[in-house]
Amino acid sequence: IGSITRRQEFARLGREGRRRRHGCLWVAALVSEEAGGVRVAYALPRKAGTAVERNLVRRRCRAALAPLEPPIPAGWYLIGLTRPARDISWRDICTDLPPALAVPEIAVVTRQSGRLQRGMLGAVRWYRNLAPGRPSPCRFFPSCSEYAEEAIETHGPWRGG
């Protein structure tokens, strides 16, 4: 299991990746053979706890990733916390990580992408990229526009829009 180090990989993961939240963890994933294996990064802000607590969670996540069966598909994965690091135990990580990594299942689009769906997705993506150099003013992760994009991709323009 490698790590994500290049800015382009993070940008692509943010643009095309699918997010899923389960228990104490959230995962943004982009399944692709271009990654050259499994590449993982961790988003653990200072708000999550002290450096010691955040590093402990990082080590526990790495240890929990190794023995997963079936193995994780090749791609880029960003793992983050939904609550403070001091409140997360080894058992929490072991039980919440496999379901959170099931992101590729929801990323598969079963419907034919029509003009209306492409137009709606384009509008949502345009709205999200209005201020590319500045941080998002939204305090929620994932944002409402990311939820809208996922709903349109998964359920089509009529039910998802």
Side-chain angles (χ1 to χ4, degrees):
I1 297 177
S3 60
I4 301 174
T5 55
R6 295 191 338 220
R7 182 181 299 245
Q8 296 88 0
E9 294 171 345
F10 278 105
R12 184 168 176 202
L13 182 58
R15 251 189 347 266
E16 301 172 28
R18 297 289 165 249
R19 290 158 184 84
R20 183 161 181 183
R21 184 179 177 163
H22 191 275
C24 65
L25 301 172
W26 59 261
V27 174
L30 178 59
V31 177
S32 174
E33 292 298 324
E34 295 174 31
V38 176
R39 311 275 306 275
V40 180
Y42 302 93
L44 308 175
R46 287 186 181 161
K47 207 166 42 169
T50 65
V52 173
E53 293 168 337
R54 294 190 317 262
N55 287 333
L56 178 63
V57 169
R58 244 184 235 113
R59 286 193 306 272
R60 286 178 173 172
C61 285
R62 274 192 217 113
L65 280 172
L68 286 180
E69 288 295 327
I72 308 167
W76 295 284
Y77 298 87
L78 180 62
I79 299 172
L81 304 177
T82 60
R83 60 181 193 242
R86 67 182 156 276
D87 299 339
I88 298 174
S89 68
W90 170 247
R91 179 177 288 177
D92 292 338
I93 291 172
C94 287
T95 56
D96 293 344
L97 193 57
L101 287 170
V103 174
E105 296 169 9
I106 64 167
V108 176
V109 179
T110 55
R111 288 190 168 76
Q112 186 84 7
S113 180
R115 269 194 242 168
L116 180 60
Q117 182 173 353
R118 285 193 309 268
M120 290 176 78
L121 288 172
V124 169
R125 290 177 184 141
W126 173 82
Y127 172 76
R128 263 203 345 236
N129 295 323
L130 281 177
R134 296 182 300 204
S136 173
C138 183
R139 64 185 174 132
F140 300 107
F141 184 82
S143 67
C144 296
S145 59
E146 290 169 334
Y147 276 125
E149 185 177 0
E150 183 179 328
I152 292 167
E153 286 177 345
T154 305
H155 301 293
W158 299 111
R159 284 188 60 212

